[in-house]
Amino acid sequence: MNYKILIAEDEQDIAELLKLYLENEGYCVFGAGNGVEALKILEREDISLAVLDIMMPRMDGYELTRRIRETSNIPILILSARDKSNDKILGLNLGADDYMAKPFDPLEIVARVNSNLRRFYQLNTEKPKREESYILKVGDLSLDTQTLVLKKKGEEVLLTPMEYKILALLMKKPGTIYTKVQIYESTSGEYFESDDNTIMVHISNLRDKIEDNPKNPRYIKTIRGVGYKIEDR
């Protein structure tokens, strides 16, 4: 598959550097200097993944992420000179899958792009023999691991790539308790270095989407001091 990457970045030097590294990986790269221009590219091109700067003219990266999530669940990687946890949590809450603070190593950006694309687009490429092997069901939830579509009572629920991966992990073994470390490493493929509340934010976002009452969840349960599990009582 010829992946198309969108880079929305108003600093030309950074944009050109990222474009050079990603094109060397064989990706087709589209550049935008602001959020409005980025939206136009998204409308006309079949973008596979977006790398978004936060501080851009006309429309910042947060608003751009929100607008993308209205219609698409492509992986989103946010870049920002802001490295405070609140800024990261805001980006994740809006639907971003990954977040990197500036300055950064372009090789790490490439590695994260590769990782997100591999997990989102190459997941479950082999067709199973029986429907039961790829349809995960818990209560009113039905998750198709071939089409990556979640339905609740027959209605589709739009998930981000990270939300899908977390939910699929939990739904494969209902009742099994997973620690935040296990969830992070299973879904990101990276070593868990510190507790930065990333998983908590994604769990909270999932509850908002699948629970009738997120404050009293029916499905995703918190096991205090341990982690999370999914169940249907």
Side-chain angles (χ1 to χ4, degrees):
M1 180 176 180
N2 186 20
Y3 294 114
K4 296 182 180 181
I5 311 298
L6 169 64
I7 299 175
E9 168 64 68
D10 64 328
E11 294 187 45
Q12 187 174 357
D13 291 344
I14 293 177
E16 290 180 352
L17 180 65
L18 290 175
K19 186 173 187 291
L20 175 64
Y21 274 80
L22 289 170
E23 286 183 340
N24 283 340
E25 285 289 305
Y27 296 127
C28 180
V29 180
F30 295 82
N34 59 71
V36 174
E37 184 181 347
L39 276 181
K40 292 180 180 178
I41 293 174
L42 285 160
E43 289 173 357
R44 70 171 187 263
E45 300 290 343
D46 186 17
I47 297 297
S48 309
L49 178 147
V51 180
L52 312 180
D53 181 37
I54 292 300
M55 302 301 292
M56 292 187 294
R58 302 185 68 184
M59 180 188 297
D60 65 24
Y62 290 137
E63 176 62 16
L64 180 55
T65 298
R66 188 188 68 78
R67 295 282 293 274
I68 292 174
R69 283 292 174 252
E70 290 178 352
T71 58
S72 173
N73 65 343
I74 62 170
I76 295 176
L77 170 60
I78 283 183
L79 303 178
S80 177
R82 302 174 175 178
D83 58 359
K84 294 182 180 180
S85 61
N86 287 343
D87 295 318
K88 181 174 184 178
I89 289 171
L90 176 57
L92 295 173
N93 271 329
L94 289 171
D97 299 284
D98 209 346
Y99 186 107
M100 285 197 66
K102 297 177 181 179
F104 53 79
D105 182 344
L107 288 175
E108 184 175 357
I109 296 290
V110 171
R112 288 177 182 253
V113 167
N114 290 341
S115 177
N116 277 285
L117 288 172
R118 182 173 61 252
R119 283 169 177 77
F120 187 59
Y121 293 100
Q122 297 179 14
L123 186 65
N124 301 301
T125 55
E126 296 184 1
K127 292 185 178 180
K129 295 180 181 179
R130 298 183 299 114
E131 178 180 351
E132 290 81 6
S133 61
Y134 66 88
I135 300 293
L136 305 176
K137 294 183 178 180
V138 175
D140 295 325
L141 304 178
S142 176
L143 186 64
D144 189 321
T145 60
Q146 281 192 322
T147 62
L148 313 184
V149 170
L150 171 69
K151 291 185 178 180
K152 178 180 178 182
K153 298 180 180 178
E155 296 293 327
E156 184 173 343
V157 179
L158 187 64
L159 299 178
T160 69
M162 182 59 75
E163 290 166 358
Y164 164 79
K165 288 182 281 189
I166 292 173
L167 189 60
L169 176 69
L170 297 177
M171 289 182 68
K172 285 176 181 177
K173 293 184 178 180
T176 299
I177 300 172
Y178 292 91
T179 67
K180 286 191 290 184
V181 173
Q182 289 173 320
I183 295 173
Y184 183 87
E185 293 182 352
S186 295
T187 55
S188 71
E190 299 175 358
Y191 178 70
F192 187 87
E193 296 181 352
S194 63
D195 185 359
D196 59 4
N197 295 324
T198 299
I199 296 301
M200 291 177 61
V201 173
H202 287 306
I203 291 291
S204 177
N205 292 342
L206 267 174
R207 282 174 172 157
D208 287 340
K209 293 181 178 182
I210 69 173
E211 303 285 0
D212 294 330
N213 181 4
K215 293 183 179 180
N216 183 25
R218 168 186 176 184
Y219 295 109
I220 301 180
K221 303 290 187 179
T222 299
I223 310 302
R224 295 193 180 279
V226 183
Y228 302 94
K229 67 176 180 177
I230 195 166
E231 62 180 28
D232 179 26
R233 292 182 178 178

